[in-house]
Amino acid sequence: MTIHTVATAPIAGQKPGTSGLRKKTPVFMGRHYLENFVQSIFDVVGADGKTFVLGGDGRYFNDRAAQVILRMAAANGAARVIVGQGAILSTPAASHLIRLNKTDGGIIMSASHNPGGPEEDFGVKFNMPNGGPAPEAVTEAMFQRTTTLTEYRILDAQDVDLSVVGRVHLGGMVVDVVDPVADYAALMETLFDFPAIRAMFAGGFRMRMDSMCAVTGPYAVEILENRLGAAKGTVTHATPLPDFGGMHPDPNPTWAHELMAEMMGPDAPDFGAASDGDGDRNMVVGRGAYVSPSDSLAVLAANAHLAPGYARGLAGVARSMPTSAAADRVADALGIGKYETPTGWKFFGNLLDAGRATLCGEESFGTGSDHVREKDGLWAILLWLNILAVRKESVAAILRQHWARFGRNYYSRHDFEAIETAKADAMMTALREALPSLPGQVVEGMTIAAADDFAYTDPVDGSVSLKQGVRVMFTDSSRFVLRLSGTGTEGATLRVYLERYAAGPEGLDLDPQEALAPVIRAAHGLARITAFTGRVTPDVVT
Ligand code: VG1
Ligand code: CO
């Protein structure tokens, strides 16, 4: 087997966004495209003598990309790669394998919640030895490397058989093909009271899990049906497909509409959940009761001590800036730390490593803890199940009690997709320019207390991240936030985050869109969304 050094030229635009490099699949399949980015990863982190984890969410091109990455790892001198069988690993399972085997990091092939298929999206991201997404300094170094790259190294070899668990060799490199589920499921058993959850299912508790034809299928069947005794067929869309069966594997009320219809219908089971393409997101729904992700984080923080893995209490709770402040209220009540970070899981890594935060969450259906360094869909679902098994109350009752105690942070996100990039940029620029003039203004009967462009200084390493989202805060603690997505692959996606606090006891049962109506009007008025983009109504409301 010979190592080829292939002459290449830099490829424009290989810049990782919120969560790795994401592009249309045909772009990734283009000449030298994947190879250039993978070589840039290896050039930045070094491959010689190292061990990596490799896996992906099974979307179209996953299998071919895995073979290329393996041949390049071997050619770059890696000692060993641990690969999920069939090149499959959920993002949280990959994070766990990186930590469990004390490897030098891992490469995850996924475009997460973006659709998959020959004409849809593909992605690659690098996770660090702590199991978490590479921080900005590292992804920036990788991007810089893509701009100067002139060659990559690849081994001339046959495909590795990834269908069988076991050890094989590729040139001088060891390839360990592992069961993608086993170690992850074992970790879950250490955190949650499986006997209590099993007893709950045995007592007639019914659940629906929608894996959306994405990676969590095999994990959910093994854990929920085989180990916890949920009825066979509890997990639907359980077989991962290269195009996710045409589904948009983003677990929110819009895309998981089948689950929503069942949970709001007459024969709804006790509990419903869904996960995304790569298994790091979760949506949870009770019978007739949708749980917003921000509320889910707050409820989990308030009840985590009911699960064995968190019985000693939490060190702190971290949330991304656009996520509602519901979790802050729990942290204050518990007397534990609270942190507000920019969007993207990479910003939680230092807080988790330093033991400052135990639970983290994002409004985008992401929740997780210090058990791995990624958000973790099934983990959140299991923590909910553990809480339900102990409290023996419905999701709706738990939510109602939570709001009665802490007040309710009404919350919604409005997404405007595939806007012409120049128009979206012009709107953000104009809004940024107006910021100094906003404090003191009265809009929709609310007085603006402060307005800024969120900047974050990492409390652990002091690194600074600027321009993380424009936020306008009112004196009654309502607020809205505008930022452009860093995961889209078509034009710009504008995200408008809306929040309003009701202390209760009155006004806890409003429809969120109604409760937020003045904040929505204020956001449209101040940012002039329609004037700049031509858009009136959002494409997705969560
Ligand atoms: C979105 C979410 C963000 C999340 C990111 C990756 O980013 O808003 O909270 O961390 O996706 O999630 P953006 O830049 O498009 O708003 V995943 O499940 O796609 O890895
Ligand atoms: Co994801």
Side-chain angles (χ1 to χ4, degrees), residues 298-307 330 383 387 391 398 402:
V299 171
L300 294 181
N303 293 280
H305 62 279
L306 300 177
V330 175
L383 181 50
I387 292 165
R391 289 189 53 170
I398 289 174
H402 188 92

Side-chain angles (χ1 to χ4, degrees), residues 22 91 110-113 276-281 375:
R22 275 182 210 181
T91 287
S110 171
S112 189
H113 58 285
D276 72 330
D278 62 333
D280 57 0
R281 295 187 180 205
K375 54 188 185 273

Side-chain angles (χ1 to χ4, degrees), residues 204-208 263 267-272 285-288 388 394-396:
F205 183 91
R206 287 191 303 134
M207 172 177 180
R208 168 71 65 220
M263 296 308 298
D267 190 33
D270 301 282
F271 186 62
V285 206
R287 181 185 293 128
L388 292 169
S394 70
V395 172

